[in-house]
Amino acid sequence: MAARGGINAKGEAVPQPVKVQRYWPGRAPKGVKEYLSSEEEDEEEQHFEKQKETELITSTYQIEISEQEAASDRRLRRLREAKNAGHETSSRRRRHADEDTDEASRNIHKSEGIDDEDEDDITSRRQRLREHALEQRRIEEEQLKAQEEAEKARSEEQQTRKLLKPVFIPRAHRETILEKERLEKEAEEAEEKRLQALEERKKESHALVAEQIQKELTKTVDEETGKVEVDDTDGLDEQAEYEAWKLRELKRVYNDAEIFNDDLLFDFKSRENEREEIERRRQMSDEVRFKEDLERARKSREEKSKGKYRFLQKYYHKGAFYLDTDDKLFKRDYTEATPDEAAHKELLPKIMQVKNFGRAGQTKWTHLADQDTSTKDSPWRQKLKRTNNARDDIDRSRKRRTRDRN
Amino acid sequence: MANRTVSDAIAVHGTNPQYLIEKIIRTRIYESLYWKESCFGLTAETVIDRAIELTSIGGQYGNQRPTEFLALVLKLLQLQPAKEIIIEFIRQEDYKYLRALGVFYLRLAGTSLEIYQYLEPLLNDYRKMRQRLPSGDFDIICMDEFIDNLLREERVFDTILPRLAKRHVLEENDELPPRISALEDDLEDDLPE
């Protein structure tokens, strides 16, 4: 919008401010209208004209300000002035409407001008467009027709194919089922066969391993013993086996009969004897029995040989256990001198006649009998002789005590 | 199952039956391969299969390894089968090692009277058995010798046998008839000659 001047009520020229083009949201900017197509433009123009008229009507009815009012009120006066100044109003909305009407009117003028000039041109263009549209429609129709025909042909083809009559086949005669069953059966059999083979193979390998182990076992036994394996099969020589048993059995019977054959302690030959002996001893008086016990003890002591000990020979105790076994080890004479003690120690110098001579454990003792203090002439056996002095001492202390008491 | 004695076991000689095998040997058995492999989950019935497979009797051998026989004895002690079963073990004649097993078990767990009753008749059984010696060698021992050992010895196969009442004591109490040897007739025949 170009700058333009105006004349106020007093006839003075008032410069109008330059109207800056402003963008309003939702409203098309100025320049766009010029490019609108002619037909639309026409419609737009008509619309605008209608709007303008209404705007104008709505704007005219309100402002009726008298002179008196204007004189009394400054604001009213100013309003009147503004009204008089043509289309300029205080209302923003009014102003905008005004601008729009200005614009529209100008456009109308312009379009009217064009109509006048190129009416023939437009009609020819319209003709062209119409022809073009018709052409388009024809083409579309043709395409549609072709499609329909193709579909028709296809459906006809389907109808012409001959359909077989469905025949019912019972389940037992249906080939597919029979085939299926046969296949299943075959698969089952194959599986069974496979399992059986597997089982057999397992058994075979098991037997093989067992055999191997057995072989190894016997082998190790042989290696350990270094001789042929002991055979425990019976009845190889029945007679010999029986005879061996008979011998053992006889031994057992004999042993049972002489269960108390330990003649070291008792002179019993059998259980019968033992019972008799018990009875006999029960008849005795205590003194007689005691006497008999002593006698038996003395006898048994005499029976045991003390053995011959050499001078300074070491003593080894026989021990009390396992003496009833038939082992040779326990029947040895433990009183004999060991080989390293066999020397004649009585020939040695006096100083060497001690135990463990020259060793850390050497003692001054030779043997117990040498150190015997139990003889009658030993000093320990002598009666103590009281000296006079000692008696005097005792007497004196006694006298002192009695005197103190008194 | 593990190595526990069955829960309903009755104390034998006032103790857990398994304790009749000494602790150290028991432990060695528990650690032995035979115990773990072949004695797991056995019952009084399946023990028979193992006993039939036995090829020797004995205590410990080699590097103090317990024999399979001893392992089965321990198994029986653990299971504590009924007395009838053990007696059946002893009565049957087909498998001598099964009989030996039953005999040994009865000697450990039975009363003196039972032992004399069921063991003495076997003194007439002179079948040969393989015995594993402590050195690992094998030796032949006859059934009657084995029984005789059980009746006389205190210690057989590295196991302390429970005390056995003297035979004459039981005889005097009229609990046991005097033993009559199978050779008695022969002896009587021999005497007059």
Side-chain angles (χ1 to χ4, degrees):
Chain A
M1 207 178 279
R4 53 182 168 182
I7 296 159
N8 63 2
K10 291 166 187 174
E12 290 168 345
V14 179
Q16 289 289 335
V18 176
K19 190 77 180 158
V20 181
Q21 240 183 28
R22 185 165 177 180
Y23 170 75
W24 290 92
R27 192 168 297 170
K30 229 60 312 148
V32 172
K33 272 172 187 152
E34 281 149 28
Y35 301 111
L36 286 171
S37 68
S38 54
E39 284 174 302
E40 284 172 52
E41 236 172 74
D42 286 349
E43 283 175 22
E44 288 249 312
E45 275 159 22
Q46 282 167 9
H47 177 73
F48 264 119
E49 267 174 272
K50 220 182 244 176
Q51 202 175 34
K52 195 177 74 182
E53 273 170 32
T54 54
E55 285 281 343
L56 284 171
I57 290 160
T58 51
S59 64
T60 49
Y61 97 102
Q62 49 184 350
I63 313 153
E64 282 295 331
I65 306 161
S66 63
E67 284 289 326
Q68 282 179 340
E69 281 171 338
S72 62
D73 197 337
R74 247 171 67 204
R75 280 196 299 177
L76 285 173
R77 195 171 60 228
R78 218 185 299 153
L79 190 67
R80 209 165 69 121
E81 279 171 9
K83 197 189 167 190
N84 292 343
H87 292 297
E88 292 301 312
T89 53
S90 58
S91 152
R92 268 175 76 183
R93 205 171 143 262
R94 178 75 209 129
R95 196 162 65 220
H96 287 306
D98 203 47
E99 279 165 23
D100 287 343
T101 49
D102 279 0
E103 195 77 18
S105 63
R106 230 177 327 126
N107 276 345
I108 289 160
H109 283 298
K110 230 186 215 171
S111 63
E112 272 171 2
I114 289 164
D115 281 348
D116 293 337
E117 284 165 22
D118 318 308
E119 204 159 327
D120 300 336
D121 224 25
I122 286 165
T123 47
S124 67
R125 212 172 76 192
R126 277 184 181 160
Q127 191 68 32
R128 267 206 318 276
L129 280 168
R130 203 168 287 137
E131 278 168 11
H132 182 70
L134 277 169
E135 185 78 13
Q136 281 281 338
R137 190 179 277 174
R138 215 181 60 231
I139 288 165
E140 274 175 19
E141 274 176 3
E142 272 172 15
Q143 278 178 352
L144 229 130
K145 222 175 193 176
Q147 265 184 2
E148 272 174 10
E149 271 172 12
E151 265 176 35
K152 217 175 182 180
R154 220 180 294 146
S155 62
E156 273 173 9
E157 209 176 289
Q158 277 176 352
Q159 278 178 351
T160 50
R161 202 185 288 155
K162 202 186 175 187
L163 280 176
L164 286 170
K165 191 191 172 193
V167 181
F168 178 74
I169 302 167
R171 198 193 184 95
H173 295 168
R174 266 177 232 170
E175 263 181 28
T176 50
I177 288 182
L178 284 174
E179 179 72 9
K180 215 171 155 188
E181 276 176 359
R182 199 175 55 79
L183 281 174
E184 263 176 18
K185 212 175 180 183
E186 267 176 15
E188 218 167 78
E189 273 171 12
E191 179 67 14
E192 209 169 287
K193 216 174 259 178
R194 196 182 63 84
L195 283 178
Q196 214 167 1
L198 213 71
E199 194 74 17
E200 261 171 35
R201 203 172 154 188
K202 209 186 232 176
K203 257 184 204 167
E204 216 168 80
S205 58
H206 206 267
L208 214 72
V209 168
E211 201 180 310
Q212 191 68 25
I213 287 171
Q214 194 60 40
K215 224 181 250 176
E216 266 174 24
L217 272 178
T218 52
K219 205 176 163 193
T220 51
V221 165
D222 282 351
E223 274 169 11
E224 273 174 20
T225 55
K227 55 188 175 187
V228 196
E229 212 202 334
V230 174
D231 187 17
D232 67 340
T233 44
D234 303 300
L236 292 176
D237 186 357
E238 188 72 42
Q239 191 59 34
E241 281 167 25
Y242 175 73
E243 289 303 329
W245 169 77
K246 199 172 170 181
L247 199 66
R248 287 195 300 268
E249 181 68 15
L250 282 174
K251 229 184 234 173
R252 274 195 288 272
V253 172
Y254 180 75
N255 279 341
D256 284 345
E258 297 191 12
I259 201 155
F260 295 102
N261 56 358
D262 191 350
D263 53 0
L264 274 176
L265 293 172
F266 305 105
D267 203 16
F268 305 141
K269 281 292 170 201
S270 64
R271 235 174 294 147
E272 207 65 31
N273 287 359
E274 186 203 5
R275 215 170 290 134
E276 278 173 20
E277 179 67 13
I278 289 168
E279 278 306 301
R280 192 180 63 82
R281 275 176 68 83
R282 277 179 185 161
Q283 304 292 319
M284 290 178 183
S285 61
D286 284 352
E287 291 86 41
V288 179
R289 201 183 302 146
F290 185 63
K291 218 174 157 188
E292 200 188 79
D293 288 348
L294 284 180
E295 181 64 24
R296 184 174 285 150
R298 191 185 58 79
K299 233 164 121 186
S300 76
R301 217 180 294 134
E302 275 173 7
E303 276 171 12
K304 283 182 197 161
S305 62
K306 273 193 171 178
K308 284 191 89 181
Y309 280 91
R310 285 187 190 165
F311 182 60
L312 275 180
Q313 185 190 325
K314 239 181 171 177
Y315 170 77
Y316 293 101
H317 198 276
K318 190 182 182 180
F321 295 105
Y322 302 108
L323 295 179
D324 51 345
T325 53
D326 277 342
D327 202 329
K328 247 195 277 175
L329 200 69
F330 298 105
K331 306 257 185 244
R332 279 183 189 168
D333 184 8
Y334 282 85
T335 60
E336 270 182 23
T338 52
D340 58 320
E341 276 189 323
H344 289 278
K345 288 199 176 161
E346 63 269 17
L347 300 178
L348 289 171
K350 179 84 172 149
I351 197 157
M352 287 178 76
Q353 288 177 351
V354 288
K355 276 190 179 171
N356 302 331
F357 176 74
R359 299 212 186 142
Q362 177 183 342
T363 63
K364 64 175 185 177
W365 316 110
T366 52
H367 50 279
L368 261 181
D370 190 35
Q371 308 299 329
D372 192 7
T373 55
S374 62
T375 50
K376 289 215 169 142
D377 55 339
S378 76
W380 296 105
R381 285 281 182 120
Q382 300 302 309
K383 271 195 172 177
L384 279 175
K385 284 180 192 164
R386 284 182 170 173
T387 56
N388 285 333
N389 289 347
R391 166 156 290 183
D392 287 351
D393 284 350
I394 295 164
D395 286 349
R396 223 174 290 147
S397 63
R398 189 185 291 158
K399 274 176 193 166
R400 200 185 302 134
R401 256 180 279 150
T402 49
R403 190 186 58 210
D404 289 348
R405 221 176 284 153
N406 298 331
Chain B
M1 180 112 171
N3 294 329
R4 264 179 296 116
T5 313
V6 287
S7 54
D8 56 344
I10 303 158
V12 175
H13 299 300
T15 181
N16 184 340
Q18 283 201 82
Y19 293 174
L20 292 174
I21 303 276
E22 287 147 52
K23 162 81 179 166
I24 181 64
I25 294 173
R26 209 163 62 228
T27 314
R28 282 175 193 148
I29 291 170
Y30 290 155
E31 285 165 4
S32 72
L33 206 62
Y34 181 75
W35 178 264
K36 291 174 180 173
E37 265 185 7
S38 307
C39 297
F40 183 81
L42 288 185
T43 61
E45 202 178 318
T46 48
V47 147
I48 297 171
D49 301 334
R50 296 276 173 279
I52 286 166
E53 286 164 13
L54 278 181
T55 56
S56 67
I57 56 175
Q60 295 187 101
Y61 69 95
N63 192 14
Q64 290 184 311
R65 268 178 294 175
T67 56
E68 298 172 2
F69 177 79
L70 217 54
L72 287 181
V73 168
L74 184 63
K75 196 74 206 179
L76 284 180
L77 289 170
Q78 186 189 340
L79 294 172
Q80 199 174 58
K83 197 176 288 166
E84 290 78 40
I85 296 175
I86 297 300
I87 287 166
E88 215 41 60
F89 281 12
I90 296 169
R91 278 226 184 99
Q92 59 84 29
E93 303 214 314
D94 300 333
Y95 305 102
K96 49 193 172 183
Y97 291 108
L98 178 58
R99 175 177 272 190
L101 185 70
V103 162
F104 198 83
Y105 175 78
L106 189 72
R107 177 66 183 87
L108 284 178
T111 62
S112 298
L113 198 64
E114 287 165 356
I115 291 168
Y116 281 116
Q117 271 176 354
Y118 293 106
L119 263 57
E120 277 187 340
L122 303 186
L123 286 170
N124 301 330
D125 181 2
Y126 53 88
R127 282 184 293 181
K128 289 187 279 189
M129 288 191 292
R130 219 183 275 118
Q131 180 190 13
R132 193 134 215 200
L133 301 172
S135 62
D137 298 351
F138 287 103
D139 194 10
I140 286 289
I141 184 172
C142 291
M143 183 64 88
D144 63 307
E145 284 177 293
F146 176 55
I147 302 287
D148 199 42
N149 284 343
L150 287 179
L151 290 175
R152 285 173 199 281
E153 304 284 323
E154 289 177 330
R155 196 174 174 80
V156 176
F157 294 159
D158 295 299
T159 310
I160 283 287
L161 302 177
R163 293 241 180 267
L164 191 64
K166 292 272 183 261
R167 192 170 208 290
H168 70 87
V169 175
L170 294 175
E171 278 175 28
E172 279 166 18
N173 293 343
D174 288 333
E175 286 176 290
L176 206 64
R179 176 170 184 251
I180 296 161
S181 171
L183 287 177
E184 208 83 343
D185 300 338
D186 292 3
L187 287 173
E188 278 169 12
D189 291 347
D190 289 347
L191 279 174
E193 288 172 15

